[in-house]
Amino acid sequence: MLFAAQVLLDVTPRSLARPLDYAVPQSLADSVAIGAPVLVPLGSRPAVGYVVSVGEPQVTDGLRDIVDVLGDPLFDEARWNLASWIAREYACRPIDALRLFLPPGSSPKVAKREDGWRLKPPPTSPATERLVELLDPGYRPPAAAHRQRAIVAALVNGPLRVSELRAAIGPPDAALAALQKKGVVAIFEQRRWRSVSGGLAREDRRHTLTKAQAEAVEAIVKASPGSVVLLDGVTGSGKTEVYMQAVDAVLRQGRRAIVLVPEISLTPQTVGRFRARFGAQLAVLHSRLSDGERYDQWQLASSGEARVVIGARSALFAPVRDLGLVVIDEEHEPSYKQSSEPRYHARDVARELVRRQGAVLVLGSATPSLESLHASETGEVRRVVLPARATGAPMPAVTVVDMTQEFADGNRTMFSRPLAAALDDVIARRGKAVLFINRRGFASFVLCRECGFVPHCESCSVSLTYHEDRSSLVCHHCGHTEALPQRCPRCGSPYLRRFGTGTQRVEAEIVSRWPDVPVVRMDADTTARKGGHERVLAEFEQAPFGVLVGTQMIAKGLDYPDVELVGIVDADTGMHMPDFRATERTFQLLMQVSGRAGRAARPGRVVVQTYWPDHPAVRAVVSGDRSALVAGELAERRELGYPPFGRLARVLVASPSRSAALSAADEIASRLAASVPADWMLLGPTEPAIGRLKGLYRRHIVVKAPPGVPLGPTLWAALTDGAARTGVRLAIDVDPYEML
């Protein structure tokens, strides 16, 4: 009987987005299975693809044979079905969705050589190591064979790696060869797992749960399969301990768990705590690992040796069998939304994953998203509250400083008088403080005071940020860097002034005012290298006293009991962004960073510097009551049809040619207008806030639809069968989280 396989090709053109049928030769019948990487003919050249189904062909004429099977299956039918759902939901190619589930760096490629087409090996492969085992413990080497005698003595207690012998006795190769020839030792290879940083060292301290924590664990453990629990707990309420005890309960049931944190800055502390509790059962997956390290962690999960996977967004796609629990910590964070294809949201994919696998999803946050809060009000998810800190410590007192009054009173420095006094007090008592400024660099921009010239990026429609340590101007969008000019390029004036405040400037000001105080800066510059987050956090943790200056990566999840003071240098960043989530995000950020203070015996203080002291987000932080803010924001979104009362999609058009971008955007808008249902709304095409980025001119169209409506299939059908748009890039973003 002739069998055929549907093969999803690992190629770029959207015209080849769907699986193609290939015949299965008899010689490959036993090895062609769902998930297997295969080599197939595509026109006049070979291509790599993945088998997504096997069965009797509907049409046999013209089917070409699969050339070869390139390895064992890399995914199963369940994962392919979920990848297909992601492709439909987020209007992307199935291969882009499927790549989420493949082992990191494992995809084979085809390259043309002089002698024909050849497979390039994947960039990662299992690491092996040579071990030596003693077969004859009674053997006594000759007295003169000192190295042989040392080897035999070293192996009495068990096998050793060749590298260990080399470190202990020097080059062992000749002596090993002699012993192996006599049958005294055996040399063999075994798989070596590449080590991964264990995070910050932590002891496993199982605290007695508060009543609220115990009720939360019980609610999670007893939740019905496929359900969602929202863990709404104030900062310091012990959400991580609830997670760990829920994971422990799932493991005792013989099932497994995935725990997500929103960004790499949270990984060191969280991994340290989970590793202390679960040890070798833990696998870690995040973007700062090498391809080889991520490949090994993926394999640990696939083999079942690791029963708990923890990491950033991509850890959701680890090959975890018998999944019982998925935890998304800081579920409100926008970093759970992927910014490139496939533009999925981890929270929504996790809901679909637990539904299909009969697991439970826990969404945890001190400042839940409005979407999750609304879902709890409608009964779609169950909300469990942790209303107080686990230690019994009070929430920190919040002081708001009106910076317009500070300016009117003659204070021209970045530190208001209340913040400077609070820092003086903490430093005098050799305590610790955290200063938050949501902008890296030294100054936001440079301006000529004579003609008003501001240096802009040559490829992006944004101003350049001044970095003091490099004495250079940097674009934080494309990375373009140029030297700070000595004179204005437009008028020649020497009067170039630096405006705005960044982390480098705050650091410099602290060093100037308090020269003996240790200062640690945590931003994208200081943590750029591998292990940077662990190094910076460990430096602050081990300092007897000092100040941590950082961007939003210090604002959430970090637990330092000895932090007494949090100073928010500029609360207004992002407050008036052209984004319907601006108020919500401002509140979340301010509330989260405030929660770093006062987690232990000494009470905490928070000083918020702002030019908008009556802003709803600031008022909610001061009162500690978000109810008025939530009610107001939800009412406004209901009126305007924004999530959760409607769905959005963004279609972004970009091209090096401005005219091509404008023309393509108009054509796409017309196509959409003729394709979408009558109750959908189209806005645009218009120029987004950043009209040019990385050398590309940009236009976008916003689509608004009723809640619960699947946007992806309609957008995909409308936008992928149009005329070829030479030199134009098209991106579809369903449920976008930024529209700059």
Side-chain angles (χ1 to χ4, degrees):
M1 179 183 296
L2 177 66
F3 282 94
Q6 281 202 313
V7 177
L8 187 66
L9 299 178
D10 195 352
V11 293
T12 301
R14 288 179 180 262
S15 59
L16 296 174
R18 299 302 175 191
L20 302 179
D21 288 334
Y22 287 90
V24 179
Q26 188 63 38
S27 60
L28 300 178
D30 292 337
S31 54
V32 171
I34 291 178
V38 293
L39 192 66
V40 296
L42 179 64
S44 61
R45 58 163 293 174
V48 172
Y50 302 94
V51 176
V52 296
S53 71
V54 180
E56 296 183 24
Q58 296 181 348
V59 179
T60 59
D61 292 343
L63 281 189
R64 303 173 74 180
D65 285 354
I66 292 176
V67 176
D68 199 4
V69 176
L70 304 178
D72 295 330
L74 300 175
F75 56 89
D76 57 17
E77 186 175 8
R79 283 171 174 75
W80 162 241
N81 289 338
L82 183 56
S84 299
W85 178 88
I86 292 172
R88 292 192 303 273
E89 182 71 9
Y90 295 101
C92 70
R93 301 182 312 147
I95 187 61
D96 291 324
L98 182 60
R99 287 190 185 117
L100 296 170
F101 297 87
L102 298 179
S106 64
S107 178
K109 302 295 182 185
V110 178
K112 191 171 186 179
R113 307 260 178 93
E114 292 183 358
D115 54 349
W117 295 98
R118 291 290 184 270
L119 276 174
K120 295 167 61 178
T124 58
S125 58
T128 60
E129 58 188 1
R130 295 170 66 215
L131 276 81
V132 184
E133 181 179 14
L134 184 62
L135 300 180
D136 184 359
Y139 177 74
R140 298 291 181 267
H146 300 292
R147 196 153 285 170
Q148 291 185 31
R149 294 169 69 89
I151 290 173
V152 171
L155 295 175
V156 167
N157 294 322
L160 292 173
R161 295 191 294 270
V162 172
S163 59
E164 292 175 312
L165 290 173
R166 181 174 289 107
I169 67 173
D173 296 348
L176 279 176
L179 291 172
Q180 185 180 29
K181 186 176 181 180
K182 297 172 184 176
V184 177
V185 302
I187 302 174
F188 58 95
E189 289 188 344
Q190 75 172 19
R191 174 68 185 273
R192 175 174 61 84
W193 300 109
R194 281 161 278 223
S195 62
V196 170
S197 171
L200 296 177
R202 290 288 183 268
E203 294 181 9
D204 183 20
R205 299 176 179 174
R206 286 180 178 262
H207 302 285
T208 301
L209 296 181
T210 64
K211 183 175 182 291
Q213 284 178 309
E215 291 173 351
V217 173
E218 183 179 18
I220 295 168
V221 172
K222 293 185 176 180
S224 57
S227 62
V228 182
V229 176
L230 174 62
L231 185 60
D232 182 0
V234 300
T235 55
S237 59
K239 292 185 290 295
T240 302
E241 184 62 32
V242 171
Y243 301 154
M244 291 196 292
Q245 296 217 14
V247 169
D248 203 26
V250 165
L251 298 185
R252 290 197 303 269
Q253 296 170 1
R255 305 190 75 182
R256 294 172 171 82
I258 296 173
V259 179
L260 302 186
V261 293
E263 56 188 50
I264 186 63
S265 64
L266 296 186
T267 304
Q269 281 200 341
T270 308
V271 168
R273 294 185 65 179
F274 271 80
R275 195 176 295 285
R277 180 72 52 90
F278 300 107
Q281 296 184 90
L282 190 71
V284 181
L285 285 168
H286 58 74
S287 60
R288 289 294 178 92
L289 302 179
S290 68
D291 281 346
E293 289 168 339
R294 283 189 291 128
Y295 181 85
D296 280 4
Q297 296 298 300
W298 193 95
Q299 291 288 357
L300 283 170
S302 180
S303 68
E305 187 172 336
R307 302 177 65 204
V308 182
V309 175
I310 187 169
R313 185 177 58 228
S314 61
L316 182 63
F317 306 101
V320 177
R321 297 180 177 84
D322 300 320
L323 183 65
L325 179 68
V326 175
V327 174
I328 301 184
D329 188 30
E330 309 291 0
E331 65 87 26
H332 65 279
E333 274 296 305
S335 58
Y336 284 122
K337 171 70 174 179
Q338 172 101 337
S339 60
S340 58
E341 284 195 354
R343 294 176 174 83
Y344 67 90
H345 196 296
R347 183 178 59 213
D348 298 324
V349 175
R351 294 184 72 164
E352 183 68 14
L353 175 63
V354 301
R355 185 190 70 80
R356 290 168 179 258
Q357 298 212 12
V360 173
L361 173 61
V362 175
L363 305 175
S365 177
T367 55
S369 63
L370 293 187
E371 288 88 345
S372 293
L373 287 174
H374 178 70
S376 71
E377 293 174 358
T378 62
E380 188 179 349
V381 307
R382 178 181 177 183
R383 178 169 167 254
V384 179
V385 179
L386 301 179
R389 288 183 158 177
T391 61
M395 299 301 291
V398 180
T399 299
V400 175
V401 180
D402 185 347
M403 295 302 285
T404 59
Q405 188 61 49
E406 287 287 309
F407 186 84
D409 291 344
N411 183 3
R412 301 293 192 267
T413 70
M414 71 177 67
F415 294 147
S416 64
R417 289 164 296 180
L419 179 54
L423 282 167
D424 279 334
D425 181 52
V426 170
I427 290 168
R429 290 187 288 103
R430 295 179 67 83
K432 287 187 176 180
V434 167
L435 293 183
F436 168 75
I437 175 74
N438 199 23
R439 186 184 298 114
R440 63 189 173 106
F442 190 88
S444 302
F445 62 95
V446 173
L447 177 142
C448 174
R449 291 196 289 175
E450 289 199 8
C451 74
F453 172 78
V454 175
H456 276 67
C457 175
E458 61 185 17
S459 301
C460 310
S461 54
V462 296
S463 59
L464 297 173
T465 300
Y466 175 65
H467 283 244
E468 176 80 4
D469 56 351
R470 290 177 265 176
S471 189
S472 60
L473 299 171
V474 179
C475 175
H476 288 170
H477 292 275
C478 71
H480 168 75
T481 301
E482 60 185 58
L484 176 69
Q486 298 301 309
R487 292 180 173 272
C488 174
R490 177 190 290 168
C491 72
S493 168
Y495 301 109
L496 296 174
R497 185 176 177 185
R498 304 156 193 172
F499 282 83
T501 301
T503 50
Q504 290 182 14
R505 187 176 175 190
V506 174
E507 178 187 30
E509 183 70 14
I510 295 171
V511 171
S512 174
R513 288 194 180 205
W514 298 280
D516 298 327
V517 174
V519 182
V520 178
R521 176 163 56 91
M522 188 171 187
D523 56 24
D525 297 314
T526 62
T527 61
R529 294 184 178 180
K530 185 175 180 179
H533 293 87
E534 289 94 331
R535 178 185 56 77
V536 171
L537 292 174
E539 184 179 349
F540 182 62
E541 183 174 303
Q542 293 163 11
F545 71 107
V547 179
L548 174 65
V549 177
T551 57
Q552 61 179 327
M553 62 177 63
I554 69 168
K556 49 202 171 282
L558 300 180
D559 185 10
Y560 289 114
D562 49 359
V563 170
E564 302 174 38
L565 170 68
V566 166
I568 300 174
V569 179
D570 179 7
D572 304 340
T573 303
M575 195 177 280
H576 302 286
M577 294 286 285
D579 184 341
F580 71 91
R581 291 188 174 94
T583 295
E584 176 191 12
R585 287 182 176 175
T586 298
F587 165 74
Q588 289 167 339
L589 194 57
L590 298 183
M591 199 71 185
Q592 290 281 346
V593 72
S594 297
R596 302 314 108 201
R599 292 182 166 227
R602 289 181 177 175
R605 291 181 291 171
V606 179
V607 178
V608 180
Q609 299 186 162
T610 176
Y611 287 91
W612 302 85
D614 292 326
H615 190 277
V618 176
R619 293 203 306 267
V621 171
V622 173
S623 67
D625 182 359
R626 67 181 182 227
S627 57
L629 181 143
V630 170
E633 287 295 298
L634 286 177
E636 183 173 337
R637 293 190 193 183
R638 186 190 298 273
E639 181 180 350
L640 297 175
Y642 284 131
F645 305 104
R647 293 196 74 184
L648 298 179
R650 181 197 196 200
V651 180
L652 180 66
V653 180
S655 173
S657 164
R658 185 175 184 276
S659 61
L662 294 175
S663 175
D666 289 340
E667 180 263 322
I668 288 170
S670 298
R671 181 175 290 275
L672 284 172
S675 304
V676 303
D679 59 348
W680 292 22
M681 181 185 296
L682 300 181
L683 305 175
T686 59
E687 183 177 273
I690 302 178
R692 190 168 182 241
L693 184 66
K694 299 180 181 180
L696 300 176
Y697 292 92
R698 310 161 83 227
R699 303 282 282 182
H700 69 176
I701 303 150
V702 176
V703 181
K704 298 177 73 172
V709 170
L711 298 173
T714 300
L715 295 177
W716 179 266
L719 299 178
T720 56
D721 60 354
R725 305 177 183 97
T726 304
V728 174
R729 299 183 187 180
L730 176 66
I732 304 171
D733 191 357
V734 175
D735 300 329
Y737 262 61
E738 66 87 11
M739 296 194 193
L740 295 180

